[in-house]
Amino acid sequence: MPAANPPRARSGNRRDEAARLAVLHAADDLLAEQGFAALTVEAIARQAGVAKQTIYRWWPSKVEILLDTLVEDSAEDVPIPDSPTADGIRDYLRGFTRFLSHDPAGKVLLALLAQAEHDPGAAVGFQERYLRPRRERERELIARATEAGEISPRLGPDAAMDALLGPIVYGALTGVEFSPESVDTLFEALLRPCTRDG
Amino acid sequence: MPAANPPRARSGNRRDEAARLAVLHAADDLLAEQGFAALTVEAIARQAGVAKQTIYRWWPSKVEILLDTLVEDSAEDVPIPDSPTADGIRDYLRGFTRFLSHDPAGKVLLALLAQAEHDPGAAVGFQERYLRPRRERERELIARATEAGEISPRLGPDAAMDALLGPIVYGALTGVEFSPESVDTLFEALLRPCTRDG
Amino acid sequence: MPAANPPRARSGNRRDEAARLAVLHAADDLLAEQGFAALTVEAIARQAGVAKQTIYRWWPSKVEILLDTLVEDSAEDVPIPDSPTADGIRDYLRGFTRFLSHDPAGKVLLALLAQAEHDPGAAVGFQERYLRPRRERERELIARATEAGEISPRLGPDAAMDALLGPIVYGALTGVEFSPESVDTLFEALLRPCTRDG
Amino acid sequence: MPAANPPRARSGNRRDEAARLAVLHAADDLLAEQGFAALTVEAIARQAGVAKQTIYRWWPSKVEILLDTLVEDSAEDVPIPDSPTADGIRDYLRGFTRFLSHDPAGKVLLALLAQAEHDPGAAVGFQERYLRPRRERERELIARATEAGEISPRLGPDAAMDALLGPIVYGALTGVEFSPESVDTLFEALLRPCTRDG
DNA sequence: AAGTAATCGAGACGGTACGTCATGTCTTAGC
DNA sequence: GCTAAGACATGACGTACCGTCTCGATTACTT
């Protein structure tokens, strides 16, 4: 149904927060319920009960809408742990797996990753606003945990993170959930080599 | 340039092989030179010097065109090794990295992986015609190498392959080449645990 | 239904009369049952169980197919009377009205008249193969009847025929049957002026 | 030439009158210069410098475009006379002949009449928007002139009009102009029977 | 209190690509 | 040499979105 929104109070001079949220939620809903193909600017405007121009005024493209939701949701749902412990890192990886598989916001991440492959502009935004900031904090996490003796990675921090996250993402992209046990094994194999892995 | 093809000999009753190849090459070229966004059926037809209907007659969608090229090219450029040796597997992984990074056909793989995330139909085709057949032969490779004592994987065959390929693909998607050395390290960590590597 | 024709005996060297008739009947049937819009060469070929090329080999266009049927049918169904009598002419006009209104072949005449307005080629064929030959014999009919004192037209032979046939055709084109009584009145008014009809 | 229109002032929320006129004129021009076969929606859009969708937004089919021009032009170029005199009617018939033969808008009438024979939808529109309204006023003209003793028709008003207009239209359709003298003779024969027709 | 400015919804506009259909030309292979 | 079958280049069909634009209303700051 095309959003039986009661006509929002017309706004006036300042940006209409209700319209902003309606757009973000409409984008999320459309992606979750109809798939990326249905995620057109016109459909978002219809679903949100908003004029197309209102979208173009504030977002240069639908990718930026998705990035807005991803940045907010991932900060909340898959926070990077503060404590540089082995358990913290393990939990982070498990949480990331769950996020990709079971959280609607995880679909947004996959959609953006895919779109970045088709659209250089999307690639830049995805790098700058999601991947890079997150990677910097992951790097710091790895560094501090290594220093603390919690882990001893066989790879540099970037390669280690790619080696840990890559299988999870690849699984999600190919429709296979990378199991929590496999995540743990991966963790042991790459970050704590040659222990009596119990 | 809009394909200054000399007018192909008109074919007649049977499928025109020249037209088939022209379409496959046009699709490849457009993807490589202009990116996925430029890969429209109309552009392929223009570039190939072929009628749109000729494309729709033989391919249900542009995804199937790419799948045709991917299936042919990947069989040739990244063959799955026959000999179930550690070296064979290591070379396969290195070859796959190179394929993704430096071979135009690797772009096709990434484009299809991305498109599968946006388009359920593409996902099915990609699974059935690329991922599944390849995975079956990878599984057998792992099994035979394990049996031969060449490797002793810490994960089941599917998870192991995802853990090995995932980082390579994820790197390619995020614009980072997963280095050959890292590939080797990954190989050692996951398939030959706790040997004398320190 | 797509013509459950029993597969005609394959022909061989000479023109296949069965194919010729199948095409003519298919064209007639399609026009009568589906209207002119459905009268495509492909549909005729389907309906007749004949290859498209067989049609193009023998007829330069679908208009010529219709002309073939019209020439045959009109000669039979609306013959121009031999006897140059007032009654003969009156019957001819009545017969023409019935032909246009109630005979399927009359639809062919209207269709061709209409198509001639859209298509110069059709106009030429329609003139040469239907209108002109018929008009020549109509002219002769008028001339002989005048000479015999059966009629005394107020217009030249061509204008007289146009004045007599025009209303009938115009009525058929605009969906109104020009009534037999009106035809008679027209006949009296134009060909037998100022007699005792009041 | 593909319409070197200076970019029309973009309109905004309301219907763009310039675009409307551009479409009507383009349709007229194409019909006059290239014939009905060239009158495709795409060609009209090209010629008018207008997007195809702008045409489909306002007209359900190209027939309605032609009807728009016909209704406007015929009201101006072949007005039905107000004064119910013999001379008025005779002038109307002469004017109609000239309209069909020498006015580009007359081609539109013929094209629509022809198209109505091929396309039931066109037939309905042509009836409702051109034929019926005009016939109603013609009927009234005949009635008032009869009452005033200016004419004394030998046929009912509808049949009389068909008998007067039919030859003119039929002549135009078959490529013969029904001469003004013949029109006058027809007028005398049908509307003023048995006078000393001088 | 009037004037200015930015927002909003609505939606028309010129475009591009979609996937389908019919055209008329051509080749193959069977009789 | 005829036939059925059908591939092919061409180009129009009518639809969906794109991103830009103008409208008239609403609302808040400015004077």
Side-chain angles (χ1 to χ4, degrees):
Chain A
M1 95 206 76
N5 298 353
R8 262 177 288 96
R10 288 301 195 78
S11 53
N13 204 1
R14 297 268 168 262
R15 175 164 189 182
D16 185 344
E17 178 68 7
R20 186 185 141 263
L21 291 176
V23 168
L24 294 181
H25 291 152
D28 257 9
D29 290 357
L30 281 170
L31 184 62
E33 289 165 20
Q34 317 257 29
F36 190 87
L39 195 76
T40 68
V41 174
E42 302 224 319
I44 296 172
R46 259 195 310 272
Q47 173 86 8
V50 142
K52 219 169 28 155
Q53 186 56 38
T54 299
I55 295 181
Y56 282 111
R57 194 180 349 262
W58 299 109
W59 291 276
S61 72
K62 68 187 175 191
V63 164
E64 295 291 327
I65 303 175
L66 290 180
L67 271 173
D68 276 9
T69 78
L70 177 62
V71 167
E72 291 188 19
D73 291 350
S74 66
E76 185 169 341
D77 299 344
V78 216
I80 292 166
D82 282 331
S83 61
T85 63
D87 282 353
I89 295 171
R90 196 156 32 209
D91 285 353
Y92 173 56
L93 295 175
R94 286 181 188 152
F96 190 76
T97 310
R98 192 180 14 79
F99 179 68
L100 278 193
S101 310
H102 303 306
D103 194 313
K107 300 293 175 214
V108 176
L109 172 51
L110 293 175
L112 283 169
L113 185 61
Q115 185 62 14
E117 191 59 33
H118 291 165
D119 168 0
V124 169
F126 186 59
Q127 276 285 346
E128 304 290 298
R129 298 193 49 203
Y130 176 78
L131 284 180
R132 194 151 54 79
R134 182 160 283 258
R135 176 53 52 95
E136 271 161 18
R137 300 171 62 202
E138 288 168 342
R139 215 148 36 200
E140 193 193 325
L141 176 66
I142 294 289
R144 289 167 56 207
T146 307
E147 209 172 334
E150 290 274 325
I151 57 175
S152 76
R154 298 173 76 150
L155 289 163
D158 277 344
M161 283 313 301
D162 285 341
L164 291 165
L165 298 176
I168 299 172
V169 169
Y170 184 65
L173 284 172
T174 57
V176 187
E177 184 179 344
F178 200 70
S179 75
E181 294 75 29
S182 298
V183 172
D184 286 357
T185 304
L186 204 58
F187 172 85
E188 297 295 331
L190 288 169
L191 300 185
R192 307 217 278 201
C194 286
T195 60
R196 236 167 278 116
D197 77 328
Chain B
M1 93 207 75
N5 298 354
R8 263 177 289 96
R10 288 301 196 77
S11 52
N13 201 5
R14 296 273 166 258
R15 176 163 189 182
D16 186 343
E17 177 69 6
R20 186 184 140 263
L21 291 175
V23 168
L24 294 182
H25 291 152
D28 257 10
D29 290 358
L30 281 170
L31 185 62
E33 289 165 20
Q34 317 256 31
F36 190 88
L39 196 75
T40 67
V41 174
E42 303 222 321
I44 297 172
R46 261 195 307 274
Q47 173 85 11
V50 142
K52 214 169 33 154
Q53 186 57 44
T54 298
I55 296 181
Y56 283 111
R57 193 175 358 256
W58 298 109
W59 292 276
S61 72
K62 68 187 176 192
V63 163
E64 296 290 327
I65 302 176
L66 290 180
L67 270 172
D68 276 9
T69 78
L70 176 62
V71 166
E72 291 189 19
D73 291 350
S74 66
E76 185 168 342
D77 298 345
V78 217
I80 292 165
D82 281 331
S83 60
T85 62
D87 281 354
I89 296 172
R90 197 158 30 211
D91 285 351
Y92 174 56
L93 295 174
R94 286 182 187 151
F96 190 77
T97 309
R98 193 180 9 82
F99 179 69
L100 278 192
S101 309
H102 302 305
D103 194 314
K107 300 293 174 214
V108 176
L109 172 52
L110 293 175
L112 283 168
L113 185 61
Q115 186 61 15
E117 191 59 31
H118 289 166
D119 168 1
V124 169
F126 186 58
Q127 275 286 347
E128 305 290 297
R129 297 194 49 203
Y130 176 78
L131 284 180
R132 195 152 54 79
R134 183 159 282 258
R135 177 52 52 95
E136 270 160 20
R137 300 172 62 202
E138 288 168 343
R139 213 146 39 199
E140 192 193 325
L141 176 66
I142 295 289
R144 287 169 57 206
T146 307
E147 208 172 333
E150 289 274 324
I151 57 173
S152 72
R154 297 175 76 151
L155 289 164
D158 277 343
M161 283 313 302
D162 285 340
L164 291 165
L165 298 176
I168 300 171
V169 169
Y170 184 65
L173 284 172
T174 57
V176 187
E177 184 180 341
F178 201 70
S179 75
E181 295 73 31
S182 298
V183 172
D184 286 356
T185 304
L186 205 58
F187 172 86
E188 297 294 332
L190 288 169
L191 300 185
R192 308 216 277 201
C194 288
T195 58
R196 38 113 214 162
D197 69 318
Chain C
M1 99 204 72
N5 298 354
R8 261 178 292 96
R10 290 302 196 74
S11 52
N13 204 356
R14 296 266 168 264
R15 176 165 188 182
D16 186 344
E17 177 67 8
R20 186 184 141 264
L21 291 175
V23 168
L24 293 183
H25 292 152
D28 257 10
D29 291 357
L30 281 170
L31 185 62
E33 290 164 21
Q34 316 257 28
F36 190 88
L39 195 76
T40 67
V41 173
E42 303 225 317
I44 297 172
R46 261 197 307 275
Q47 173 87 8
V50 142
K52 221 173 20 158
Q53 187 55 35
T54 299
I55 295 181
Y56 281 111
R57 197 186 335 274
W58 297 108
W59 292 276
S61 73
K62 66 187 176 192
V63 164
E64 297 290 327
I65 302 176
L66 290 180
L67 271 172
D68 276 9
T69 79
L70 176 62
V71 167
E72 291 189 19
D73 291 349
S74 65
E76 185 168 341
D77 298 345
V78 218
I80 292 167
D82 281 333
S83 61
T85 63
D87 282 354
I89 295 172
R90 199 160 26 214
D91 285 353
Y92 174 56
L93 296 174
R94 285 183 189 150
F96 191 76
T97 310
R98 195 183 5 85
F99 179 69
L100 278 193
S101 309
H102 302 306
D103 194 313
K107 301 292 173 214
V108 176
L109 172 51
L110 294 175
L112 283 169
L113 185 61
Q115 186 61 15
E117 190 59 32
H118 290 166
D119 168 2
V124 170
F126 186 59
Q127 275 286 349
E128 305 289 299
R129 297 193 51 202
Y130 175 78
L131 285 180
R132 193 150 56 78
R134 181 160 283 257
R135 176 52 53 95
E136 271 161 19
R137 299 172 62 202
E138 288 167 344
R139 215 147 34 199
E140 193 194 325
L141 176 66
I142 294 289
R144 288 168 57 205
T146 306
E147 207 172 334
E150 289 274 325
I151 58 176
S152 74
R154 299 175 73 151
L155 289 164
D158 277 343
M161 284 313 303
D162 285 341
L164 291 165
L165 297 177
I168 299 171
V169 169
Y170 184 65
L173 284 172
T174 57
V176 186
E177 186 179 342
F178 201 68
S179 75
E181 294 74 30
S182 299
V183 171
D184 287 357
T185 303
L186 204 59
F187 172 85
E188 297 295 332
L190 287 170
L191 299 187
R192 305 216 279 203
C194 286
T195 58
R196 33 92 224 183
D197 69 315
Chain D
M1 98 204 73
N5 298 352
R8 265 176 287 97
R10 288 301 197 77
S11 52
N13 202 5
R14 297 276 166 255
R15 177 165 188 181
D16 186 344
E17 177 67 7
R20 186 184 140 265
L21 292 175
V23 168
L24 294 183
H25 292 152
D28 258 8
D29 290 357
L30 282 170
L31 184 62
E33 289 165 21
Q34 317 256 28
F36 190 88
L39 194 75
T40 68
V41 174
E42 302 221 320
I44 297 172
R46 261 196 307 273
Q47 173 86 9
V50 141
K52 216 171 22 157
Q53 186 57 42
T54 296
I55 296 182
Y56 283 111
R57 201 184 340 267
W58 298 109
W59 291 277
S61 72
K62 67 187 175 191
V63 164
E64 296 289 327
I65 302 175
L66 290 181
L67 271 172
D68 276 9
T69 78
L70 177 61
V71 167
E72 291 188 20
D73 291 350
S74 64
E76 186 169 340
D77 298 346
V78 214
I80 292 166
D82 280 333
S83 61
T85 63
D87 282 353
I89 295 171
R90 199 160 26 213
D91 285 352
Y92 175 56
L93 295 174
R94 286 182 188 150
F96 191 75
T97 310
R98 193 181 9 82
F99 179 67
L100 278 192
S101 309
H102 302 305
D103 195 313
K107 300 292 173 216
V108 176
L109 172 51
L110 294 175
L112 283 169
L113 185 61
Q115 186 62 14
E117 191 57 32
H118 290 166
D119 168 1
V124 170
F126 185 59
Q127 275 285 348
E128 306 289 299
R129 297 193 52 202
Y130 176 77
L131 285 180
R132 193 150 57 77
R134 183 158 281 258
R135 176 52 53 95
E136 270 161 19
R137 299 173 62 204
E138 289 168 342
R139 217 152 27 204
E140 194 194 324
L141 176 66
I142 295 289
R144 288 170 55 208
T146 306
E147 207 172 336
E150 291 273 326
I151 57 174
S152 75
R154 299 175 76 150
L155 289 164
D158 277 343
M161 285 311 304
D162 285 341
L164 291 165
L165 298 176
I168 300 170
V169 169
Y170 184 65
L173 284 173
T174 58
V176 186
E177 185 179 343
F178 200 69
S179 75
E181 295 73 30
S182 299
V183 171
D184 285 357
T185 304
L186 205 58
F187 171 85
E188 297 295 333
L190 288 169
L191 300 185
R192 306 217 280 200
C194 284
T195 62
R196 236 167 277 114
D197 76 326

